[in-house]
Amino acid sequence: MKFLFINGVNLNMTGKRQKDIYGAQTLDEINAEIAAHFNGDECEFYQSNIEGEICTKLQTAACDGIILNAGAYTHYSYAIRDAIASIGIPVIEVHMSNVHAREEFRHTSVISAVCKGVVEGFGKNSYILAAESFKL
Ligand code: DQA
């Protein structure tokens, strides 16, 4: 299968910011582990802090499944929601932390309703669990 892992705003700071929440590994290190886990599959990794760039990446994706951690955009980006709704490829919403155990504003996702499912709270394994679900 071909997977596209998209990380949104501030996820490039993983390993440097709030290590108690997001862990000490960098995004590159996490992506390397994901690629090793799915060694028989094709994995593309993309990160952007820019909302419109994430929309363009969604619009131009060519793969079997998209694993999307939109970061804080999850909670308010109608543009990313519309981009997800406009494509035929299934998207799974992912969060490393359990957003429902955190601040109130993180309890709202404007993208969940247009995603195939949501995986949250399993750290870097949230990405792997989400992608594995495409193989079931
Ligand atoms: C996050 C949770 C979001 O609320 C936050 O803004 C992030 C990361 C997560 O992976 O737990 O940047 O998506």
Side-chain angles (χ1 to χ4, degrees), residues 104-115:
E104 191 80 29
F105 75 89
R106 295 185 206 277
H107 300 185
T108 298
S109 168
V110 300
I111 67 170
S112 296
V114 292
C115 287

Side-chain angles (χ1 to χ4, degrees), residues 7-11 14 17-18 21-22 68-75 93-99 102-103 105-108 119-121 123 126-127:
N7 279 284
V9 63
N10 292 318
L11 272 304
T14 305
R17 69 159 178 166
Q18 296 174 285
I21 298 174
Y22 302 115
L68 171 64
N69 185 350
Y73 287 142
T74 303
H75 312 301
E93 175 186 343
V94 157
H95 302 285
M96 286 191 274
S97 65
N98 177 353
V99 288
R102 299 180 63 194
E103 302 96 319
F105 75 89
R106 295 185 206 277
H107 300 185
T108 298
V119 179
E120 65 176 74
S126 290
Y127 297 99

Side-chain angles (χ1 to χ4, degrees), residues 26-90:
T26 66
L27 189 59
D28 283 347
E29 288 167 347
I30 290 170
N31 289 345
E33 280 192 24
I34 294 168
H37 179 93
F38 290 105
N39 64 357
D41 299 293
E42 203 179 321
C43 295
E44 179 185 348
F45 299 98
Y46 178 83
Q47 191 277 327
S48 176
N49 289 324
I50 301 168
E51 187 180 24
E53 286 185 355
I54 295 166
C55 294
T56 301
K57 190 66 186 174
L58 287 161
Q59 291 168 9
T60 57
C63 60
D64 300 302
I66 298 172
I67 299 89
L68 171 64
N69 185 350
Y73 287 142
T74 303
H75 312 301
Y76 64 91
S77 175
Y78 298 120
I80 291 175
R81 177 196 170 109
D82 285 351
I84 295 167
S86 72
I87 61 173
I89 303 168

